[in-house]
Amino acid sequence: MVAVLLPLLAAVTLTAPPAAAATRAAVPTAALTEVTNFGTNPSNLRMYLYVPAGVTAHPAVVVAVHYCTGSGPAMYNGTEWAQLADTYGFVVIYPSVTRASKCFDVSSPQALKRGGGSDPVGIKSMIDWVTRTYSADTGKIFATGISSGAMMTNVLLGDYPDVFAAGAAFSGVPFGCFATTDGSEWNSACANGTVTHTPREWGDLVRGAYPGYTGRRPRMQLWHGTDDATLRYPNFGEEIKQWTDVLGVGQTPAATDTPASGWTRTRYGSTGDQAPVEAISLQGVGHNLYTYGMASRALTFFGLGTSGPAPQPQPGACRVTATTSAWSTGLTGSVTVTNTGTTTINGWQLGFTLPAGQTITNGWGATYAPSSGAVTATNASYDGTIAPNASVSIGYQANHTGNSAAPAAFTLNGTACTSS
């Protein structure tokens, strides 16, 4: 097979510590351990497991799936999932491919059907083994992966919606996009971003993996770099179309913000940290986008820890005063937000719509995205806390084409505020 997916960062190719074999008995803690004889395994995957010394009763389970040319031990060494497990007490499964390409099967008809065979069946057997051995919480099983592993994350959530609570896919493609019928592992049309469907068509591919299933569907977090030359950026938009349809939420973001420089995060279906679909676009970043710290953000999306962006508590009530001071083609806007509720707000996003023709050129007290239309202002590091009856003031400078009015309506963390 051609060299398909680029290797990850050099850090991910470090040599793993020796792995000891294990049977159904509980494995050693605080060490990467290989588990054998874990169940049905049609594609001869290997199973590596990390159990922290402080594993909780009925732990959550994270399945961390490697990239092409990688392995379970490389994923263990190159990501911080094991360190996060030490902090929060969950168990991490690292599946490992044995076929020559070291890519997961996300192409064959067997892989794209629940119980159809190939890699998804082996990974499901690993989860079952951990659930039996550690009495894991079956409501807190999650999948995450990079590149080929991101594609497998999409596949796992499609094949086994009743197993997973959520997934986080770093540089992937939609479920079914890589499908082939000739035995090939590679789909150039999908990789190049030329496979497009309507949201309903993408959603039907997922629903077709488990016909007749009407239960809850797992939430999905998606990550992609705009300069990805391996699995090109249009796949990101197609994934969003697919999972918003599967989860029955609109295509228009409920919230948009910039959690880090060059990042654009959109949330669909709700504005909080556990929205049904969350998508993070990284401007100017290529295929190897994963860096330390991103797993903490995925963990927050999963709801397993407090690392990453702070949750957004809903205020009991809020009041906003907004004014503008204009000149020929520009203006400054001043906005004061008052917490009129009875509980402290720790972390906030203020939503409002700029009048037509206005475009923000800079701001203070918050970050603003996008620069026109429906804008979300996200607190700065120094003004994220608003005590009851306290206020914060923010502002922005904007260009205008004639209408210099202030916005008339505001929401704070999704709750409508009164205006004065």
Side-chain angles (χ1 to χ4, degrees):
M1 191 181 106
V2 296
V4 288
L5 299 182
L6 299 178
L8 193 64
L9 304 174
V12 188
T13 62
L14 299 176
T15 302
T23 61
R24 273 191 60 181
V27 303
T29 60
L32 186 67
T33 304
E34 183 171 4
V35 176
T36 60
N37 302 318
F38 51 82
T40 304
N41 185 21
S43 54
N44 196 32
L45 298 178
R46 298 175 74 174
M47 173 184 176
Y48 293 89
L49 192 67
Y50 183 81
V51 180
V55 62
T56 62
H58 310 296
V61 179
V62 173
V63 182
V65 193
H66 68 74
Y67 45 91
C68 278
T69 75
S71 67
M75 193 74 173
Y76 165 79
N77 279 311
T79 66
E80 69 267 40
W81 285 107
Q83 294 94 315
L84 292 170
D86 288 335
T87 300
Y88 297 106
F90 57 84
V91 174
V92 189
I93 299 171
Y94 298 95
S96 197
V97 169
T98 58
R99 64 178 61 89
S101 66
K102 298 298 187 291
C103 296
F104 284 91
D105 176 12
V106 296
S107 307
S108 74
Q110 293 78 18
L112 298 174
K113 180 180 179 181
R114 178 187 179 86
S118 197
D119 296 346
V121 168
I123 293 172
K124 174 63 163 52
S125 294
M126 298 177 195
I127 295 167
D128 291 342
W129 188 95
V130 171
T131 299
R132 292 192 304 266
T133 305
Y134 293 94
S135 299
D137 186 340
T138 56
K140 293 182 179 179
I141 296 174
F142 306 90
T144 186
I146 301 167
S147 191
S148 178
M151 294 193 279
M152 178 52 70
T153 297
N154 279 268
V155 169
L156 289 172
L157 268 60
D159 286 357
Y160 297 101
D162 53 332
V163 172
F164 294 95
F170 295 84
S171 303
V173 304
F175 178 100
C177 184
F178 241 62
T180 60
T181 56
D182 60 0
S184 171
E185 296 178 42
W186 187 248
N187 184 319
S188 294
C190 178
N192 290 330
T194 63
V195 176
T196 62
H197 291 294
T198 66
R200 179 61 182 270
E201 289 169 343
W202 279 124
D204 284 346
L205 288 176
V206 172
R207 288 182 285 269
Y210 187 5
Y213 178 73
T214 59
R216 178 199 58 78
R217 294 277 178 174
R219 298 176 298 108
M220 177 63 96
Q221 184 187 65
L222 304 165
W223 299 71
H224 221 104
T226 62
D227 288 358
D228 192 330
T230 303
L231 299 175
R232 293 188 180 273
Y233 187 67
N235 283 301
F236 180 61
E238 299 302 302
E239 284 180 297
I240 293 171
K241 287 160 60 175
Q242 181 171 69
W243 290 104
T244 51
D245 182 80
V246 168
L247 287 155
V249 298
Q251 301 284 302
T252 302
T256 301
D257 66 350
T258 306
S261 178
W263 296 15
T264 300
R265 177 173 60 188
T266 48
R267 287 168 167 168
Y268 302 83
S270 71
T271 62
D273 287 332
Q274 282 86 55
V277 178
E278 179 174 280
I280 301 97
S281 172
L282 282 70
Q283 182 64 38
V285 175
H287 186 60
N288 295 337
L289 66 78
Y290 180 87
T291 59
Y292 272 77
M294 290 180 177
S296 293
R297 293 181 180 270
L299 194 76
T300 297
F301 179 75
F302 292 167
L304 290 183
T306 57
S307 297
Q312 300 167 355
Q314 302 299 312
C318 48
R319 182 177 68 250
V320 175
T321 301
T323 60
T324 58
S325 177
W327 58 94
S328 57
T329 59
L331 62 86
T332 56
S334 299
V335 180
T336 299
V337 183
T338 302
N339 176 9
T340 57
T342 58
T343 59
T344 297
I345 299 169
N346 292 303
W348 52 264
Q349 290 185 328
L350 184 71
F352 56 90
T353 299
L354 287 173
Q358 291 187 16
T359 302
I360 293 174
T361 55
N362 61 75
W364 49 94
T367 57
Y368 299 82
S371 60
S372 61
V375 176
T376 299
T378 302
N379 67 270
S381 59
Y382 55 81
D383 62 2
T385 298
I386 313 176
N389 299 315
S391 302
V392 296
S393 294
I394 62 175
Y396 56 89
Q397 187 169 332
N399 296 328
H400 69 84
T401 58
N403 186 347
S404 60
F410 297 84
T411 60
L412 188 64
N413 290 351
T415 296
C417 301
T418 60
S419 297
S420 60

